[in-house]
Amino acid sequence: MEKVFQNRLVLEILERYKVIWSIEHAMALLGWDSETYMPEDGVEERSVAVSQLDLLKQKFLTDENFMKLVDRANEEKDLNEYEVGLLRVLNRMIRIYRLLPPRLVEELAKVTEEAKVVWRNAKINNNFQAFKPYLEKIFSLSRECAEHLGYREHPYDALLDLYEEGLTSREVGQIFDSIKGELKTILERVQSEGVFSKKHPLEEMEYDMEAMKKVNLWVAERLGYDRRRFRIDVSAHPFTVHMGLRDARITTRYEGKDFKSTLFSVIHEYGHALYGLQHNESFIFTPLADGASLGVHESQSRFWENIVGRSMQFSSAIYPFLRENLNFLKNFSAEDLYVYFNVVRPTLIRVDADEVTYNFHILVRYNLEKVTVNGEVKVEDLPTLWNSMIEEALGVRPKKDSEGILQDIHWSLGSIGYFPTYTIGTILSAQIRRHILKDVPDFYERISKLDFGEVKAWLKNRIHYWGAMYPPKELIKRMLGEEISPAYFIEYLKEKYLSDR
Ligand code: MG
């Protein structure tokens, strides 16, 4: 292993950081467990454990001696770029935790741990009123966080920065402005051409759970699933957690029909997992063993899910195995499979949305979060507002809150400012595709052979290896030679979905 950390002070910092790393390791495991195996009544004790661990992390990070050590290291000349990156991340962590009063950290951790379970039941019972007091609390604590963290133009910017360093609502607004009209036009044309927009019979096909599990595992293995460093479990909301450099865990869900949902959750989360499994090994036990941002992370999951997984080549390559294991595929061709994977139709549920309509779901959430954090809109008015905005964007209106405002887990986790990173990631994934095509011209032929060595190496060298060393904007500039640009995404959609391109 390359020795990247050499400075004496940096080595001392890393020695002490092991405690913080261990707390994070434990919190990751607890978080994973509460989504997968914890019995429901364990929630109260779990919420105390998690909030106390978070407080402990804050205590270690903002310990006077530790901060002095970091300050001294900041003054060192001759630091190498890894050490500079490490200190940048540490300084950012310390800044955030110093600005947030311990009471606020504890309260947020506690309320969100409880809210997760309340939300789950509220969604099942279609009961927004049950979740409302928690959501009010979460929005008001988030606003408090924003005030403590500070911002230039809008309190929402302080929250955005927690997930996507340096991102502002002005920039998010510009991105949406540049794609909104194009997406509407593409959607209208896809609908009038009719190839991708028809309801597909495979959407209604029920699958056998065991057969589906076998298919998911087989696909994950083709992508590079390695049992020694990787697990797949089941949860209501699919996610990935990185326990460390060599332990990534993903989940999927089984709803019994419309199998693309469970399959593409696996492929999506695989993309997240691979990112963490390909960091520089020297980053072990350090805060650099992390993604550059959530947007960059999402670019990786979206890349595997959409660019690779929803391609014609991938559909054809996995078709024989799927046909053999999913009986209902007997009367469908590889091309049918491809069309089914890429059905474009305005729907209510974000996680099931296609590539063309997906970003409208994010736009609605982004607009609602911004005005609610700002106090312009009350939480009690959110369900109706949600329904109207979705209807305006997509022409479909939720009939109940479980298919409207209650559908996502994020707010219950206190993740406000998180959604825009999905759009950032989606846009970046198409941009990455364009750059890979330059370096790996036979990219699509390789997909036909389920040969991903070259593309994984490309992603590793340009993105994964660097972990959290650079802020997202800098990483993108360094690795792609340009800033994020929504034009690639629009170009990709037109090429894929419109006949005359
Ligand atoms: Mg994701």
Side-chain angles (χ1 to χ4, degrees):
M1 202 195 301
E2 188 191 358
K3 264 212 148 173
V4 300
F5 305 110
Q6 283 156 358
N7 179 281
R8 194 178 48 81
L9 292 174
V10 167
L11 291 174
E12 202 181 328
I13 288 171
L14 286 178
E15 200 45 45
R16 297 204 195 183
Y17 186 81
K18 275 196 185 134
V19 178
I20 298 164
W21 181 89
S22 303
I23 294 170
E24 287 188 336
H25 185 74
M27 284 173 70
L29 187 61
L30 294 180
W32 171 81
D33 174 71
S34 63
E35 292 297 316
T36 49
Y37 296 108
M38 184 185 78
E40 193 178 308
D41 284 356
V43 63
E44 193 185 344
E45 288 155 302
R46 179 60 48 85
S47 75
V48 171
V50 169
S51 62
Q52 289 302 315
L53 282 173
D54 206 17
L55 272 180
L56 203 56
K57 177 180 159 191
Q58 181 181 36
K59 207 172 138 193
F60 277 105
L61 261 177
T62 57
D63 169 77
E64 284 300 326
N65 290 327
F66 185 71
M67 290 195 300
K68 262 185 212 148
L69 194 57
V70 173
D71 276 342
R72 276 169 58 209
N74 284 335
E75 299 299 313
E76 291 283 280
K77 309 287 177 252
D78 306 330
L79 294 171
N80 67 36
E81 62 172 336
Y82 297 98
E83 294 163 341
V84 171
L86 174 78
L87 288 174
R88 184 187 67 77
V89 173
L90 275 176
N91 283 312
R92 177 172 149 86
M93 285 170 80
I94 290 171
R95 182 182 68 84
I96 290 170
Y97 272 99
R98 278 191 82 183
L99 289 170
L100 298 176
R103 170 202 56 83
L104 189 54
V105 173
E106 187 182 359
E107 239 182 297
L108 246 176
K110 208 159 172 292
V111 73
T112 52
E113 199 58 35
E114 286 170 22
K116 253 195 313 197
V117 177
V118 175
W119 163 77
R120 205 182 297 161
N121 291 327
K123 182 180 168 183
I124 292 168
N125 303 321
N126 186 38
N127 181 2
F128 179 74
Q129 288 308 317
F131 183 50
K132 196 184 89 172
Y134 290 86
L135 192 56
E136 281 169 343
K137 183 99 193 164
I138 286 166
F139 265 106
S140 106
L141 291 175
S142 299
R143 173 63 194 249
E144 249 189 88
C145 284
E147 293 305 326
H148 286 288
L149 293 168
Y151 51 86
R152 273 210 199 106
E153 292 186 8
H154 197 286
Y156 190 65
D157 294 354
L159 303 176
L160 275 177
D161 177 75
L162 291 175
Y163 304 102
E164 195 68 20
E165 188 176 349
L167 185 69
T168 63
S169 47
R170 184 178 289 269
E171 287 167 311
V172 177
Q174 281 164 355
I175 288 175
F176 278 120
D177 284 345
S178 74
I179 61 174
K180 234 170 22 187
E182 293 268 24
L183 289 176
K184 277 244 153 140
T185 311
I186 296 172
L187 178 60
E188 279 161 20
R189 286 194 49 198
V190 171
Q191 285 174 315
S192 72
E193 287 181 12
V195 180
F196 291 101
S197 61
K198 287 196 199 80
K199 188 163 171 80
H200 202 284
L202 284 173
E203 291 174 53
E204 290 303 323
M205 292 294 174
E206 289 178 12
Y207 56 77
D208 173 70
M209 183 97 115
E210 290 313 308
M212 197 59 230
K213 280 189 172 163
K214 189 175 165 194
V215 166
N216 281 346
L217 189 62
W218 181 83
V219 169
E221 279 169 349
R222 301 286 85 64
L223 297 175
Y225 170 72
D226 172 356
R227 278 164 206 276
R228 290 166 312 156
R229 311 203 298 166
F230 207 127
R231 280 189 64 91
I232 306 178
D233 293 271
V234 179
S235 72
H237 194 101
F239 68 96
T240 302
V241 63
H242 292 279
M243 297 297 306
L245 285 176
R246 298 164 200 160
D247 180 351
R249 301 173 186 210
I250 70 169
T251 65
T252 187
R253 56 196 174 126
Y254 292 93
E255 290 153 318
K257 67 169 195 174
D258 200 5
F259 75 96
K260 69 175 184 301
S261 168
T262 179
L263 176 66
F264 282 99
S265 291
V266 170
I267 302 175
H268 177 100
E269 302 305 334
Y270 166 81
H272 283 302
L274 182 69
Y275 189 175
L277 291 170
Q278 295 210 103
H279 293 324
N280 184 337
E281 283 273 323
S282 314
F283 294 170
I284 193 162
F285 307 126
T286 79
L288 291 183
D290 197 0
S293 69
L294 289 189
V296 177
H297 235 297
E298 191 69 7
S299 75
Q300 298 310 293
S301 53
R302 288 272 154 197
F303 177 83
W304 287 95
E305 177 189 354
N306 292 335
I307 308 292
V308 175
R310 288 194 156 88
S311 68
M312 173 67 105
Q313 290 77 2
F314 190 77
S315 310
S316 304
I318 64 170
Y319 171 72
F321 187 86
L322 266 60
R323 186 167 190 266
E324 208 172 288
N325 288 278
L326 302 171
N327 288 333
F328 54 79
L329 279 179
K330 272 198 184 62
N331 303 318
F332 294 91
S333 66
E335 250 194 81
D336 291 330
L337 194 62
Y338 173 68
V339 173
Y340 164 61
F341 285 167
N342 290 287
V343 167
V344 172
R345 195 175 55 238
T347 50
L348 297 169
I349 307 297
R350 176 187 62 86
V351 292
D352 295 329
D354 57 81
E355 293 179 278
V356 180
T357 59
Y358 184 86
N359 289 291
F360 287 109
H361 292 271
I362 304 303
L363 177 60
V364 167
R365 287 153 178 78
Y366 158 70
N367 280 326
L368 289 175
E369 285 185 340
K370 212 177 136 188
V371 290
T372 312
V373 163
N374 212 14
E376 290 166 52
V377 161
K378 286 201 179 68
V379 167
E380 63 183 31
D381 296 326
L382 281 179
T384 314
L385 205 51
W386 175 295
N387 295 347
S388 310
M389 286 167 81
I390 283 287
E391 187 172 19
E392 196 199 316
L394 291 171
V396 286
R397 190 180 178 93
K399 290 196 183 65
K400 44 189 185 181
D401 290 335
S402 54
E403 53 185 33
I405 192 166
L406 286 175
Q407 66 182 272
D408 292 310
I409 193 174
H410 301 64
W411 290 351
S412 77
L413 301 175
S415 302
I416 292 167
Y418 185 128
F419 282 118
T421 68
Y422 287 145
T423 292
I424 299 281
T426 304
I427 285 169
L428 269 180
S429 70
Q431 193 163 356
I432 288 168
R433 165 186 175 265
R434 180 49 65 200
H435 284 269
I436 287 185
L437 280 170
K438 271 192 272 172
D439 298 332
V440 188
D442 58 349
F443 171 65
Y444 282 107
E445 285 159 51
R446 286 171 183 274
I447 295 179
S448 303
K449 297 178 198 139
L450 299 174
D451 164 12
F452 301 111
E454 202 73 19
V455 69
K456 278 198 249 180
W458 193 99
L459 294 170
K460 178 176 181 177
N461 293 337
R462 297 288 185 105
I463 300 163
H464 300 175
Y465 181 82
W466 304 100
M469 263 187 63
Y470 306 110
K473 285 177 185 169
E474 191 183 332
L475 179 79
I476 293 162
K477 200 89 200 274
R478 274 172 184 260
M479 302 312 154
L480 303 181
E482 59 181 359
E483 286 168 10
I484 183 169
S485 164
Y488 296 102
F489 175 57
I490 297 299
E491 174 200 289
Y492 158 75
L493 291 181
K494 286 182 177 168
E495 195 183 303
K496 180 167 177 179
Y497 292 101
L498 302 184
S499 60
D500 62 350
R501 284 283 303 222

